[in-house]
Amino acid sequence: TDGVAEATNAENKLFGTERMLTALNRMPDAAAEELLRNVLEDIDAFVAGAPQFDDITMLCVEYKGAGK
């Protein structure tokens, strides 16, 4: 990620790593796209419309081992 933990609300508090991990672990068996959607929903709720000074970039890679 880039910018996720640094997302800032109106009180200048950071979203932070703990909130990011909580969002990722909310549905640990979800597909990659759904995991990213969950994180974005939590970011949007946290910042509550506060203007961002930086972009937010997320990438999720799903690894499928041999034979899957």
Side-chain angles (χ1 to χ4, degrees):
T1 66
D2 178 44
V4 171
E6 295 84 16
T8 308
N9 66 10
E11 290 86 37
N12 281 333
K13 292 184 181 178
L14 297 176
F15 187 71
T17 303
E18 286 299 318
R19 284 185 183 90
M20 180 176 62
L21 291 173
T22 298
L24 287 168
N25 288 316
R26 183 165 26 126
M27 296 177 68
D29 295 326
E33 186 175 329
E34 191 170 8
L35 286 173
L36 295 178
R37 190 173 23 255
N38 289 343
V39 174
L40 185 58
E41 287 174 0
D42 285 9
I43 292 168
D44 288 343
F46 176 78
V47 301
Q52 294 300 299
F53 64 91
D54 196 4
D55 64 334
I56 294 175
T57 304
M58 296 185 288
L59 173 69
C60 186
V61 177
E62 181 177 357
Y63 173 75
K64 293 184 179 188
K68 290 188 177 184

